[in-house]
Amino acid sequence: MALGMVVRLKRFVWLLLAHHFMVVRACHEVTYGQYIQEYCLSKFQSDMETLRKTLWCDWDMTLGWYGELTNCTYQIAGRMHCFWPNQLVDEFFIAIHKHYFKNCPVSGRALRDPPNTILCPFILVPIFVTLLMTALVVWRSKRSEGIV
């Protein structure tokens, strides 16, 4: 009976200590949100403001800054013992996209027709091949001699 009581007491003490360590090591989301706003977003905003709004959708211009923003949120999460990605990071990036990239096409480039020098061969070559094959079949069908 005493051994069972000791085991229960050890479990209780372990639960108290484990709870204490989990609270100390847990992510404090409010502070994390403030840090990513203050350190990460402020840098990204100043970088993006150096570009004209028409260039915000140019992935070649913004890719480096976007990567730095992502890395910043990751580094702060690691220092604060937060999981990454998490719901706060998801909401943070959704807000970034709604503000900076809402008018951008999904591919990162504006969709447009290719130049005529590229488009015309892709249209004309299949038409000529179809006409040529049709003429060849008609010509061959009229010459039945020599077919076994």
Side-chain angles (χ1 to χ4, degrees):
M1 193 72 149
L3 182 60
M5 185 68 108
V6 170
V7 169
R8 281 190 219 140
L9 184 59
K10 283 183 181 180
R11 285 183 186 164
F12 179 72
V13 170
W14 185 85
L15 283 173
L16 283 176
L17 290 175
H19 174 73
H20 175 71
F21 288 124
M22 284 190 283
V23 169
V24 170
R25 303 281 297 178
C27 175
H28 193 260
E29 287 187 6
V30 173
T31 306
Y32 177 64
Q34 290 170 347
Y35 284 172
I36 63 174
Q37 292 286 329
E38 184 177 332
Y39 297 111
C40 304
L41 181 60
S42 61
K43 167 92 169 72
F44 183 75
Q45 284 175 332
S46 67
D47 290 339
M48 291 296 282
E49 287 173 8
T50 63
L51 288 178
R52 293 187 319 255
K53 285 187 178 188
T54 56
L55 295 176
W56 284 0
C57 294
D58 187 347
W59 195 237
D60 293 330
M61 300 290 286
T62 58
L63 179 63
W65 297 333
Y66 192 85
E68 288 175 11
L69 177 68
T70 304
N71 189 45
C72 181
T73 62
Y74 176 76
Q75 294 295 328
I76 292 175
R79 289 187 183 124
M80 295 189 66
H81 308 290
C82 297
F83 289 107
W84 191 94
N86 57 41
Q87 183 176 355
L88 190 62
V89 171
D90 291 343
E91 291 168 359
F92 176 75
F93 277 101
I94 288 171
I96 293 289
H97 281 259
K98 282 183 179 178
H99 183 266
Y100 290 101
F101 306 115
K102 67 181 174 190
N103 295 324
C104 298
V106 177
S107 69
R109 295 188 179 129
L111 299 177
R112 58 184 173 85
D113 288 336
N116 286 338
T117 56
I118 302 230
L119 191 59
C120 287
F122 278 102
I123 294 172
L124 295 177
V125 169
I127 291 173
F128 285 131
V129 168
T130 303
L131 291 174
L132 180 66
M133 292 305 291
T134 304
L136 184 64
V137 167
V138 169
W139 179 72
R140 238 0 227 163
S141 66
K142 287 186 179 186
R143 296 191 67 219
S144 60
E145 62 192 55
I147 298 177
V148 180

PDB file of all heavy atoms in Angstrom, residues 15 19 26 28 44 47 50 62 64 71 78-79 93 110 114 120-121 128 131 137 140 142-143:
ATOM      1  N   LEU A  15       3.813  15.480 -12.678  1.00  0.00           N
ATOM      2  CA  LEU A  15       2.815  16.271 -13.393  1.00  0.00           C
ATOM      3  C   LEU A  15       2.934  17.748 -13.061  1.00  0.00           C
ATOM      4  O   LEU A  15       2.823  18.607 -13.939  1.00  0.00           O
ATOM      5  CB  LEU A  15       1.407  15.779 -13.081  1.00  0.00           C
ATOM      6  CG  LEU A  15       0.975  14.498 -13.777  1.00  0.00           C
ATOM      7  CD1 LEU A  15      -0.387  14.036 -13.246  1.00  0.00           C
ATOM      8  CD2 LEU A  15       0.907  14.694 -15.261  1.00  0.00           C
ATOM      9  N   HIS A  19       4.102  20.343 -15.970  1.00  0.00           N
ATOM     10  CA  HIS A  19       3.264  21.499 -16.289  1.00  0.00           C
ATOM     11  C   HIS A  19       4.083  22.787 -16.204  1.00  0.00           C
ATOM     12  O   HIS A  19       3.982  23.647 -17.062  1.00  0.00           O
ATOM     13  CB  HIS A  19       2.061  21.558 -15.348  1.00  0.00           C
ATOM     14  CG  HIS A  19       1.244  22.798 -15.524  1.00  0.00           C
ATOM     15  ND1 HIS A  19       0.440  22.988 -16.623  1.00  0.00           N
ATOM     16  CD2 HIS A  19       1.136  23.927 -14.774  1.00  0.00           C
ATOM     17  CE1 HIS A  19      -0.138  24.175 -16.534  1.00  0.00           C
ATOM     18  NE2 HIS A  19       0.269  24.755 -15.410  1.00  0.00           N
ATOM     19  N   ALA A  26       6.441  27.138 -23.453  1.00  0.00           N
ATOM     20  CA  ALA A  26       5.351  27.305 -24.408  1.00  0.00           C
ATOM     21  C   ALA A  26       5.486  28.620 -25.172  1.00  0.00           C
ATOM     22  O   ALA A  26       6.093  29.575 -24.703  1.00  0.00           O
ATOM     23  CB  ALA A  26       4.010  27.265 -23.685  1.00  0.00           C
ATOM     24  N   HIS A  28       4.373  32.066 -26.524  1.00  0.00           N
ATOM     25  CA  HIS A  28       3.502  33.164 -26.121  1.00  0.00           C
ATOM     26  C   HIS A  28       3.088  33.875 -27.399  1.00  0.00           C
ATOM     27  O   HIS A  28       3.820  34.715 -27.928  1.00  0.00           O
ATOM     28  CB  HIS A  28       4.229  34.092 -25.150  1.00  0.00           C
ATOM     29  CG  HIS A  28       3.312  35.037 -24.469  1.00  0.00           C
ATOM     30  ND1 HIS A  28       3.169  36.340 -24.887  1.00  0.00           N
ATOM     31  CD2 HIS A  28       2.460  34.869 -23.436  1.00  0.00           C
ATOM     32  CE1 HIS A  28       2.280  36.940 -24.119  1.00  0.00           C
ATOM     33  NE2 HIS A  28       1.840  36.069 -23.227  1.00  0.00           N
ATOM     34  N   PHE A  44       9.837  44.419 -44.288  1.00  0.00           N
ATOM     35  CA  PHE A  44       9.207  44.084 -45.566  1.00  0.00           C
ATOM     36  C   PHE A  44       8.466  45.296 -46.129  1.00  0.00           C
ATOM     37  O   PHE A  44       8.541  45.572 -47.334  1.00  0.00           O
ATOM     38  CB  PHE A  44       8.256  42.896 -45.380  1.00  0.00           C
ATOM     39  CG  PHE A  44       7.620  42.418 -46.648  1.00  0.00           C
ATOM     40  CD1 PHE A  44       8.348  41.694 -47.571  1.00  0.00           C
ATOM     41  CD2 PHE A  44       6.289  42.696 -46.926  1.00  0.00           C
ATOM     42  CE1 PHE A  44       7.764  41.244 -48.754  1.00  0.00           C
ATOM     43  CE2 PHE A  44       5.698  42.254 -48.097  1.00  0.00           C
ATOM     44  CZ  PHE A  44       6.445  41.528 -49.005  1.00  0.00           C
ATOM     45  N   ASP A  47      10.915  47.760 -47.577  1.00  0.00           N
ATOM     46  CA  ASP A  47      11.455  47.255 -48.839  1.00  0.00           C
ATOM     47  C   ASP A  47      10.436  47.410 -49.969  1.00  0.00           C
ATOM     48  O   ASP A  47      10.779  47.867 -51.067  1.00  0.00           O
ATOM     49  CB  ASP A  47      11.848  45.782 -48.711  1.00  0.00           C
ATOM     50  CG  ASP A  47      13.073  45.565 -47.839  1.00  0.00           C
ATOM     51  OD1 ASP A  47      13.856  46.530 -47.657  1.00  0.00           O
ATOM     52  OD2 ASP A  47      13.243  44.444 -47.330  1.00  0.00           O
ATOM     53  N   THR A  50       9.911  50.834 -51.580  1.00  0.00           N
ATOM     54  CA  THR A  50      10.924  51.332 -52.511  1.00  0.00           C
ATOM     55  C   THR A  50      10.543  51.039 -53.958  1.00  0.00           C
ATOM     56  O   THR A  50      11.104  51.633 -54.872  1.00  0.00           O
ATOM     57  CB  THR A  50      12.311  50.724 -52.219  1.00  0.00           C
ATOM     58  OG1 THR A  50      12.252  49.302 -52.421  1.00  0.00           O
ATOM     59  CG2 THR A  50      12.777  51.040 -50.818  1.00  0.00           C
ATOM     60  N   THR A  62      10.584  40.935 -55.920  1.00  0.00           N
ATOM     61  CA  THR A  62      10.105  40.778 -54.545  1.00  0.00           C
ATOM     62  C   THR A  62      10.484  39.448 -53.898  1.00  0.00           C
ATOM     63  O   THR A  62      10.301  39.288 -52.695  1.00  0.00           O
ATOM     64  CB  THR A  62       8.571  40.932 -54.498  1.00  0.00           C
ATOM     65  OG1 THR A  62       7.976  39.950 -55.355  1.00  0.00           O
ATOM     66  CG2 THR A  62       8.144  42.315 -54.926  1.00  0.00           C
ATOM     67  N   GLY A  64      13.313  37.983 -53.065  1.00  0.00           N
ATOM     68  CA  GLY A  64      14.303  38.056 -51.991  1.00  0.00           C
ATOM     69  C   GLY A  64      13.704  38.611 -50.707  1.00  0.00           C
ATOM     70  O   GLY A  64      13.941  38.092 -49.612  1.00  0.00           O
ATOM     71  N   ASN A  71      11.789  33.894 -43.568  1.00  0.00           N
ATOM     72  CA  ASN A  71      12.868  33.481 -42.672  1.00  0.00           C
ATOM     73  C   ASN A  71      12.782  34.212 -41.334  1.00  0.00           C
ATOM     74  O   ASN A  71      13.052  33.624 -40.284  1.00  0.00           O
ATOM     75  CB  ASN A  71      14.222  33.721 -43.329  1.00  0.00           C
ATOM     76  CG  ASN A  71      15.342  33.112 -42.546  1.00  0.00           C
ATOM     77  OD1 ASN A  71      15.253  31.972 -42.091  1.00  0.00           O
ATOM     78  ND2 ASN A  71      16.414  33.863 -42.365  1.00  0.00           N
ATOM     79  N   GLY A  78      11.440  30.130 -33.709  1.00  0.00           N
ATOM     80  CA  GLY A  78      12.401  29.235 -33.080  1.00  0.00           C
ATOM     81  C   GLY A  78      12.922  29.786 -31.762  1.00  0.00           C
ATOM     82  O   GLY A  78      13.077  29.044 -30.790  1.00  0.00           O
ATOM     83  N   ARG A  79      13.190  31.075 -31.718  1.00  0.00           N
ATOM     84  CA  ARG A  79      13.701  31.686 -30.483  1.00  0.00           C
ATOM     85  C   ARG A  79      12.650  31.728 -29.379  1.00  0.00           C
ATOM     86  O   ARG A  79      12.990  31.732 -28.207  1.00  0.00           O
ATOM     87  CB  ARG A  79      14.205  33.089 -30.776  1.00  0.00           C
ATOM     88  CG  ARG A  79      15.479  33.075 -31.580  1.00  0.00           C
ATOM     89  CD  ARG A  79      16.068  34.454 -31.739  1.00  0.00           C
ATOM     90  NE  ARG A  79      17.253  34.368 -32.576  1.00  0.00           N
ATOM     91  CZ  ARG A  79      17.430  35.051 -33.683  1.00  0.00           C
ATOM     92  NH1 ARG A  79      16.505  35.896 -34.082  1.00  0.00           N
ATOM     93  NH2 ARG A  79      18.524  34.913 -34.384  1.00  0.00           N
ATOM     94  N   PHE A  93       0.592  35.921 -43.196  1.00  0.00           N
ATOM     95  CA  PHE A  93       0.892  35.886 -44.631  1.00  0.00           C
ATOM     96  C   PHE A  93      -0.354  36.118 -45.485  1.00  0.00           C
ATOM     97  O   PHE A  93      -0.253  36.687 -46.575  1.00  0.00           O
ATOM     98  CB  PHE A  93       1.603  34.586 -45.010  1.00  0.00           C
ATOM     99  CG  PHE A  93       3.072  34.652 -44.743  1.00  0.00           C
ATOM    100  CD1 PHE A  93       3.619  34.060 -43.624  1.00  0.00           C
ATOM    101  CD2 PHE A  93       3.921  35.325 -45.605  1.00  0.00           C
ATOM    102  CE1 PHE A  93       4.977  34.141 -43.357  1.00  0.00           C
ATOM    103  CE2 PHE A  93       5.281  35.412 -45.357  1.00  0.00           C
ATOM    104  CZ  PHE A  93       5.806  34.816 -44.232  1.00  0.00           C
ATOM    105  N   ALA A 110       1.665  38.617 -65.573  1.00  0.00           N
ATOM    106  CA  ALA A 110       0.421  38.980 -66.239  1.00  0.00           C
ATOM    107  C   ALA A 110       0.233  38.070 -67.450  1.00  0.00           C
ATOM    108  O   ALA A 110       1.162  37.848 -68.220  1.00  0.00           O
ATOM    109  CB  ALA A 110       0.457  40.438 -66.672  1.00  0.00           C
ATOM    110  N   PRO A 114       1.167  35.151 -76.667  1.00  0.00           N
ATOM    111  CA  PRO A 114       2.566  35.219 -77.099  1.00  0.00           C
ATOM    112  C   PRO A 114       2.681  36.094 -78.349  1.00  0.00           C
ATOM    113  O   PRO A 114       1.684  36.352 -79.029  1.00  0.00           O
ATOM    114  CB  PRO A 114       2.911  33.755 -77.401  1.00  0.00           C
ATOM    115  CG  PRO A 114       1.618  33.080 -77.604  1.00  0.00           C
ATOM    116  CD  PRO A 114       0.597  33.823 -76.812  1.00  0.00           C
ATOM    117  N   CYS A 120       1.969  32.264 -84.747  1.00  0.00           N
ATOM    118  CA  CYS A 120       1.648  31.879 -86.129  1.00  0.00           C
ATOM    119  C   CYS A 120       2.167  30.488 -86.513  1.00  0.00           C
ATOM    120  O   CYS A 120       1.408  29.699 -87.089  1.00  0.00           O
ATOM    121  CB  CYS A 120       2.132  32.937 -87.110  1.00  0.00           C
ATOM    122  SG  CYS A 120       1.116  34.422 -87.056  1.00  0.00           S
ATOM    123  N   PRO A 121       3.427  30.150 -86.240  1.00  0.00           N
ATOM    124  CA  PRO A 121       3.855  28.798 -86.598  1.00  0.00           C
ATOM    125  C   PRO A 121       3.053  27.700 -85.890  1.00  0.00           C
ATOM    126  O   PRO A 121       2.776  26.650 -86.477  1.00  0.00           O
ATOM    127  CB  PRO A 121       5.318  28.756 -86.156  1.00  0.00           C
ATOM    128  CG  PRO A 121       5.762  30.170 -86.161  1.00  0.00           C
ATOM    129  CD  PRO A 121       4.553  30.969 -85.799  1.00  0.00           C
ATOM    130  N   PHE A 128      -1.151  23.229 -92.400  1.00  0.00           N
ATOM    131  CA  PHE A 128      -0.471  22.755 -93.610  1.00  0.00           C
ATOM    132  C   PHE A 128      -0.238  21.248 -93.574  1.00  0.00           C
ATOM    133  O   PHE A 128      -0.379  20.570 -94.591  1.00  0.00           O
ATOM    134  CB  PHE A 128       0.847  23.500 -93.827  1.00  0.00           C
ATOM    135  CG  PHE A 128       0.659  24.889 -94.337  1.00  0.00           C
ATOM    136  CD1 PHE A 128       1.303  25.956 -93.736  1.00  0.00           C
ATOM    137  CD2 PHE A 128      -0.166  25.150 -95.428  1.00  0.00           C
ATOM    138  CE1 PHE A 128       1.132  27.252 -94.207  1.00  0.00           C
ATOM    139  CE2 PHE A 128      -0.341  26.447 -95.907  1.00  0.00           C
ATOM    140  CZ  PHE A 128       0.307  27.494 -95.291  1.00  0.00           C
ATOM    141  N   LEU A 131      -3.576  19.599 -94.419  1.00  0.00           N
ATOM    142  CA  LEU A 131      -3.871  19.707 -95.857  1.00  0.00           C
ATOM    143  C   LEU A 131      -2.971  18.780 -96.673  1.00  0.00           C
ATOM    144  O   LEU A 131      -3.438  18.126 -97.621  1.00  0.00           O
ATOM    145  CB  LEU A 131      -3.718  21.157 -96.322  1.00  0.00           C
ATOM    146  CG  LEU A 131      -4.759  22.141 -95.799  1.00  0.00           C
ATOM    147  CD1 LEU A 131      -4.397  23.562 -96.207  1.00  0.00           C
ATOM    148  CD2 LEU A 131      -6.135  21.753 -96.310  1.00  0.00           C
ATOM    149  N   VAL A 137      -3.497  11.394 -99.174  1.00  0.00           N
ATOM    150  CA  VAL A 137      -4.466  10.292 -99.111  1.00  0.00           C
ATOM    151  C   VAL A 137      -5.322  10.286-100.375  1.00  0.00           C
ATOM    152  O   VAL A 137      -5.561   9.223-100.976  1.00  0.00           O
ATOM    153  CB  VAL A 137      -5.344  10.408 -97.839  1.00  0.00           C
ATOM    154  CG1 VAL A 137      -6.552   9.490 -97.900  1.00  0.00           C
ATOM    155  CG2 VAL A 137      -4.520  10.124 -96.596  1.00  0.00           C
ATOM    156  N   ARG A 140      -3.140   9.111-103.301  1.00  0.00           N
ATOM    157  CA  ARG A 140      -2.841   7.677-103.197  1.00  0.00           C
ATOM    158  C   ARG A 140      -4.094   6.839-103.500  1.00  0.00           C
ATOM    159  O   ARG A 140      -3.968   5.750-104.074  1.00  0.00           O
ATOM    160  CB  ARG A 140      -2.390   7.388-101.784  1.00  0.00           C
ATOM    161  CG  ARG A 140      -1.103   6.801-101.424  1.00  0.00           C
ATOM    162  CD  ARG A 140      -0.163   6.452-102.475  1.00  0.00           C
ATOM    163  NE  ARG A 140       0.316   5.114-102.203  1.00  0.00           N
ATOM    164  CZ  ARG A 140       0.905   4.340-103.027  1.00  0.00           C
ATOM    165  NH1 ARG A 140       1.136   4.739-104.249  1.00  0.00           N
ATOM    166  NH2 ARG A 140       1.300   3.154-102.712  1.00  0.00           N
ATOM    167  N   LYS A 142      -6.419   7.496-105.635  1.00  0.00           N
ATOM    168  CA  LYS A 142      -6.685   7.521-107.073  1.00  0.00           C
ATOM    169  C   LYS A 142      -5.700   6.618-107.812  1.00  0.00           C
ATOM    170  O   LYS A 142      -5.975   6.205-108.919  1.00  0.00           O
ATOM    171  CB  LYS A 142      -6.583   8.941-107.597  1.00  0.00           C
ATOM    172  CG  LYS A 142      -7.764   9.797-107.163  1.00  0.00           C
ATOM    173  CD  LYS A 142      -7.720  11.138-107.787  1.00  0.00           C
ATOM    174  CE  LYS A 142      -8.934  11.928-107.334  1.00  0.00           C
ATOM    175  NZ  LYS A 142      -9.031  13.188-108.020  1.00  0.00           N
ATOM    176  N   ARG A 143      -4.553   6.317-107.241  1.00  0.00           N
ATOM    177  CA  ARG A 143      -3.546   5.468-107.879  1.00  0.00           C
ATOM    178  C   ARG A 143      -3.606   4.100-107.213  1.00  0.00           C
ATOM    179  O   ARG A 143      -2.824   3.819-106.323  1.00  0.00           O
ATOM    180  CB  ARG A 143      -2.170   6.071-107.705  1.00  0.00           C
ATOM    181  CG  ARG A 143      -2.025   7.419-108.405  1.00  0.00           C
ATOM    182  CD  ARG A 143      -0.617   7.892-108.450  1.00  0.00           C
ATOM    183  NE  ARG A 143       0.158   7.017-109.316  1.00  0.00           N
ATOM    184  CZ  ARG A 143       1.405   6.632-109.083  1.00  0.00           C
ATOM    185  NH1 ARG A 143       2.044   7.055-108.041  1.00  0.00           N
ATOM    186  NH2 ARG A 143       2.038   5.841-109.925  1.00  0.00           N
TER     187      ARG A 143
END
